[in-house]
Amino acid sequence: MGSLGWLGRDVITVLDFTREDLEVLFTEALNMEKYAKSRLNILNGKVLALAFFEPSTRTRLSFETAMLRLGGSVIGFSGVEATSMAKGENLADTIRMLDAYADAIVIRHSIEGAAKFAAEIAASPVINAGDGSQNHPTQAMLDLYTIWREFGTIDGLSIGILGDLRYARVVNSLIQALSYYRVRLHLISPEPLKPRRELIEFMNSRGMVYDWTDDPYRVINDVDVLYVVRIQRERFPDPMEYERVRGTYKVDLKLIEKAKPQMVILHPLPRVDEIDFAVDNTHHAKYFKQASLGVPLRMALLKLVLGGES
Amino acid sequence: MGSLGWLGRDVITVLDFTREDLEVLFTEALNMEKYAKSRLNILNGKVLALAFFEPSTRTRLSFETAMLRLGGSVIGFSGVEATSMAKGENLADTIRMLDAYADAIVIRHSIEGAAKFAAEIAASPVINAGDGSQNHPTQAMLDLYTIWREFGTIDGLSIGILGDLRYARVVNSLIQALSYYRVRLHLISPEPLKPRRELIEFMNSRGMVYDWTDDPYRVINDVDVLYVVRIQRERFPDPMEYERVRGTYKVDLKLIEKAKPQMVILHPLPRVDEIDFAVDNTHHAKYFKQASLGVPLRMALLKLVLGGES
Amino acid sequence: MGSLGWLGRDVITVLDFTREDLEVLFTEALNMEKYAKSRLNILNGKVLALAFFEPSTRTRLSFETAMLRLGGSVIGFSGVEATSMAKGENLADTIRMLDAYADAIVIRHSIEGAAKFAAEIAASPVINAGDGSQNHPTQAMLDLYTIWREFGTIDGLSIGILGDLRYARVVNSLIQALSYYRVRLHLISPEPLKPRRELIEFMNSRGMVYDWTDDPYRVINDVDVLYVVRIQRERFPDPMEYERVRGTYKVDLKLIEKAKPQMVILHPLPRVDEIDFAVDNTHHAKYFKQASLGVPLRMALLKLVLGGES
């Protein structure tokens, strides 16, 4: 299972790439960190189209910044305009238009499979910036890159994932990415937000080592990485149930008191109240660092896919 | 009637330009096709203002892409922001602001004459990207360019225009543009959507050869170009009347079976259901090609108006 | 009180800077006027983030144009997206994200103190594009620059400020800026819109010479500059009171008939009906000139803060 290479490829799920591909990406991202606050003119003249049918300011701005820092330009739509777009025209025709105008397309869509569908239509590379509830591959690549940067390795780590393991789109992509590595997974969630059966079956098929608990205090002392995702009130059929459990899953000073000294906390952001602000000031908090690495990681991705020379 | 030149001119209606001007534009567009997926630095340092008081993602993005590919930059507003803009400030003051900031202004507005009004105020060139229900000159230029590219000529062709001939803004501009050429026009529409009297008078005054029918099957075997525009339900006083006729005006495999082998189908896009998806796979379908030519055509237009050197 | 310099500094209020700083800015702006319609590549590779939590097309576009003319790039959000942003995430986390991506942040926010709060969080310079009801420093800098350009000096002038002196954000910043100069202030407003006590105390503490009247006709013959701001209907508890006074504060030909020949009228724009259109054609009207100076003034500001070399 060697590198399949990145040039001209679509980025639809993490599983389209090999461990070797990911490591090529990480090495390039490390190189790109030197340029994340300056400019490389390697994509001069290229145009990236952003088709955000679903809002995501953070992901959108990190792609935009990455493209601009590489010397390229950005066109696209998001928000309200995207909504009316989505109503007025079939997705295939919209993608054909962007394909005709731009050199690559970044798509975010609420419907599962929208990115794959777009990739089948477009001749240019399509990058999935989140579709449906299962895939957000560039976020998972960023998550792994952050871990790799912090520990110098991913193999051998114990990784806790805390929060909504059922509906949070990043969890599925993250676990797919981690399946390339020898890690020990602690899955932590309220009972109603346990991982779906498909994800369990995936982990089994890959021989991944994992356990599940509804109590973060049971595993906090073992994890090297605590990856936190939001728990949304709407996911609970019974609002009282949500109120009952939410406190348990809030990461605060009391919880991390039990953690290893080198434990790092990650979060895809934005957060609402799942991490207490007091935690921000501890050396465990790496979610802002993680967010800032989104630019060099996506610079590396765009460079590899669009083939800029450095 | 020689070329009046393009440099520094406003682009308000097709009739502001001569046949020679159009052919200068087409020749330049053909040249620009080489750069439509790369970059020319001939408008480096120029800023184009987009004032889209009415949404049009496709037209907006093709102007943006064209300007960026020429090395220039884009500022502006559209959608909801434009609406609140339109409420909070008189159009003249808004145009004065854009005129002070940018090197040229592209305007789209629901009110007839808004582009001409803007051109009277602004010192910089103003380009009409559609105003009211009668003018969309750059779309008509693109339409003719696509025909010219396909047939090597426009003179001598038989051109069918199918759909809403009364309210569709592109129809008026297209017929103005075709008035410079010796073509045979077949106008095809439901009775309530026949061309307005002003358009009939225009065709007569220019000595254009045309006929009208409500049945596309009567003329499909004669046309070299079938130009399709949408029929909007809202245009019919009686919704039942709309339901009764809509099927007749849908372009499908059955209709084009009767067409000449070299017949091409154009559409300004976006389409709703006026062209069956099955038609996309026939060699007659040129509407996606037409859309992709929007970038080189608008690159040529911006180069000619803004005076970039190549 | 010498120059504190501009490089790397936040721009939160006018009072953060000295008279010498302002004069450095004005001199640089005069220099930048040569490039306001071309391009300087001194900020090539820099990215400016615009965080407009409150809409302001004019201020947003002037910052964007200034950054683009300097060779830099722009990212950001405004309008509806900003609103949902503001709801979904705490301001601190949003600022941290922008700080990680960009080289400087321009913020506009409805809440007093938002810009200062952002500056405390961000390592990059933060520029206040208007927050709360008291501060809009770059507008005040532009106002003074326009006066300086017109008269060659600010000392010794008589300046009338007409309109809502209580709630208009620009009035407070303008008076702060004028406190560095020896001017005579005529404050003109309806009784309910007189300056707040804090502003009166500020003028007293700085030894400023001012008077107040509710009748513009009393002072029109003395002013060199008439600075007009809008009076909003919503500010009057009694709508009938608004209807009664609005005519008095409308600047029209009748009012300016009594003015000195060299008197100039300024307005931050957009205007609604506080200046009669007939005034636009008089030589007193300098508000469009003032608006157009927004680009070179902000080019100078960005150059000084971001440290571009020329």
Side-chain angles (χ1 to χ4, degrees), chain B residues 44-47 71 73-77 80-81 85 88-90 93-94 96-103 124, chain C residues 36-39 41 56-58 60-62 64-65 68-69 78 80 269-272 277 280 288 291-292 295:
Chain B
N44 205 330
K46 302 280 185 186
V47 172
S73 302
V74 176
I75 61 166
F77 51 81
V80 180
E81 186 172 14
M85 205 66 205
E89 184 174 33
N90 64 78
D93 284 7
T94 304
R96 279 186 193 100
M97 164 184 68
L98 298 176
D99 192 32
Y101 295 175
D103 299 292
S124 310
Chain C
K37 281 271 182 147
S38 63
R39 184 182 178 106
N41 279 317
S56 174
T57 307
R58 197 173 283 274
R60 178 175 69 77
L61 292 182
S62 73
E64 272 191 56
T65 307
L68 294 167
R69 295 286 192 193
S78 69
V80 180
L269 303 181
R271 64 175 161 177
V272 179
F277 293 146
D280 296 0
F288 297 131
S292 75
V295 173

Side-chain angles (χ1 to χ4, degrees), chain C residues 95-116:
Chain C
I95 295 300
R96 278 184 194 104
M97 163 183 68
L98 298 176
D99 191 33
Y101 295 176
D103 299 292
I105 301 167
V106 177
I107 183 172
R108 184 171 181 116
H109 205 287
S110 60
I111 296 175
E112 193 79 32
K116 186 161 192 293

Side-chain angles (χ1 to χ4, degrees), chain C residues 130-200:
Chain C
D131 69 340
S133 65
Q134 304 299 300
N135 281 301
H136 193 352
T138 69
Q139 178 68 46
M141 290 168 186
L142 169 58
D143 299 338
L144 256 67
Y145 177 59
T146 310
I147 298 171
W148 184 81
R149 280 279 272 95
E150 287 298 316
F151 291 94
T153 179
I154 297 168
D155 284 321
L157 297 177
S158 166
I159 295 176
I161 308 181
L162 170 72
D164 179 350
L165 305 180
R166 191 167 184 80
Y167 301 104
R169 148 199 293 168
V170 295
V171 170
N172 191 59
S173 281
L174 176 60
I175 290 176
Q176 288 181 346
L178 289 171
S179 76
Y180 292 125
Y181 296 86
R182 283 172 288 102
V183 295
R184 201 162 60 252
L185 275 186
H186 296 295
L187 306 174
I188 315 153
S189 74
E191 177 73 33
L193 299 180
K194 285 174 80 161
R196 294 162 194 252
R197 192 201 309 183
E198 296 85 337
L199 188 55
I200 300 286

Side-chain angles (χ1 to χ4, degrees), chain B residues 243-259:
Chain B
E243 293 303 330
R244 203 180 59 77
V245 306
R246 62 186 294 201
T248 312
Y249 301 97
K250 179 158 188 164
V251 176
D252 55 17
L253 294 179
K254 182 161 155 267
L255 177 67
I256 64 176
E257 202 171 82
K258 277 102 183 151

